[in-house]
Amino acid sequence: MTHIYLEVGPKKVFACSLEWPGWCRVAKGEEAAIGLLVDYAPRYRVIAERAGLSFEPGDPVVVAREPGSEMTDFGAPFAIPELDQEPIDAETAGRRVALLRAAWELFDEVTAESPEELRKGPRGGGRDLSKVVAHVAEAERAYARKVDVRHKPYKSPADRDAMREELAEVLSRPWQPPQTTGWPPAYALRRTAWHVIDHLWEIEDRR
């Protein structure tokens, strides 16, 4: 089994795995969202294997439902599940960060071999490659501030890599409530991984 939660917005629903950060899909209705999540399992397996993990998730089991918002309908998971307030041990934190690092590696590899001009259409709108890459980098910098990792606007790829390293180090630590940052670490990692992976798959689909 794989434990998932549903973020239920007015029109759309996110289905997100709790054990596999970034494995998260959105659709109109709960059944459709869960079905899409399952459909994307082979694509997520590539990330898990890069992290050195066996990915045999089994059937999804809904363990929580969270109220969504207009952000859910816009296409971003926004609700913070109560389950993200549970303690995190060092092994779990390290495993989750390994998945985030794998997503970063694959994103960088795919962008390096993709053309600047991406196919237009509903899957990705009109942004070309460099704008997608810049969007992901700036979003990560904003997300990092939610766990008190603060970096100035990047002047080079090395600046971005330094931010990633600091964020990975912070999220690798064991954690106990109470929450003292803007986001609990579990949510910060899942939101960051989802954003990287979602745009990784977008580029793969549009190139």
Side-chain angles (χ1 to χ4, degrees):
M1 297 185 296
T2 185
H3 295 159
I4 70 171
Y5 70 92
L6 302 178
E7 178 179 325
V8 184
K11 297 179 181 178
K12 293 183 180 179
V13 176
F14 266 98
C16 297
S17 170
L18 288 162
E19 294 104 335
W20 299 98
W23 187 28
C24 191
R25 293 285 87 193
V26 64
K28 292 182 178 179
E30 294 188 7
E31 262 188 50
I34 295 169
L36 192 60
L37 185 74
V38 171
D39 289 345
Y40 271 72
R43 296 181 79 167
Y44 192 89
R45 182 173 288 110
V46 175
I47 296 161
E49 289 177 350
R50 172 62 68 93
L53 300 172
S54 174
F55 182 69
E56 300 297 335
D59 294 332
V61 176
V62 178
V63 296
R65 285 176 171 80
E66 300 290 338
S69 65
E70 66 277 1
M71 286 297 294
T72 315
D73 290 350
F74 177 73
F78 200 70
I80 299 177
E82 185 64 29
L83 290 165
D84 285 345
Q85 298 294 334
E86 294 182 354
I88 303 170
D89 60 33
E91 181 180 357
T92 300
R95 175 183 169 279
R96 290 174 177 175
V97 169
L99 289 160
L100 177 59
R101 287 186 181 278
W104 280 334
E105 288 176 8
L106 286 166
F107 181 83
D108 289 349
E109 288 176 11
V110 167
T111 57
E113 61 189 22
S114 297
E116 170 62 16
E117 186 174 348
L118 300 173
R119 178 173 53 84
K120 304 298 187 286
R123 177 62 182 90
R127 283 187 295 208
D128 285 331
L129 181 69
S130 58
K131 290 187 177 180
V132 176
V133 171
H135 165 69
V136 170
E138 281 305 303
E140 282 180 358
R141 197 167 66 87
Y143 297 165
R145 289 198 295 270
K146 295 291 190 176
V147 287
D148 293 344
V149 174
R150 301 180 186 281
H151 281 247
K152 294 179 180 179
Y154 307 137
K155 295 182 179 179
S156 71
D159 291 342
R160 185 209 64 176
D161 293 344
M163 191 287 298
R164 284 180 172 179
E165 283 303 315
E166 185 178 350
L167 179 60
E169 193 279 325
V170 167
L171 295 177
S172 294
R173 300 170 188 167
W175 182 80
Q176 293 274 350
Q179 179 184 330
T180 59
T181 55
W183 286 347
Y187 178 78
L189 197 147
R190 186 185 312 111
R191 178 70 177 269
T192 303
W194 163 78
H195 197 243
V196 175
I197 292 168
D198 189 59
H199 285 293
L200 163 66
W201 290 340
E202 174 200 339
I203 294 167
E204 288 179 335
D205 291 345
R206 295 179 58 214
R207 64 183 180 178

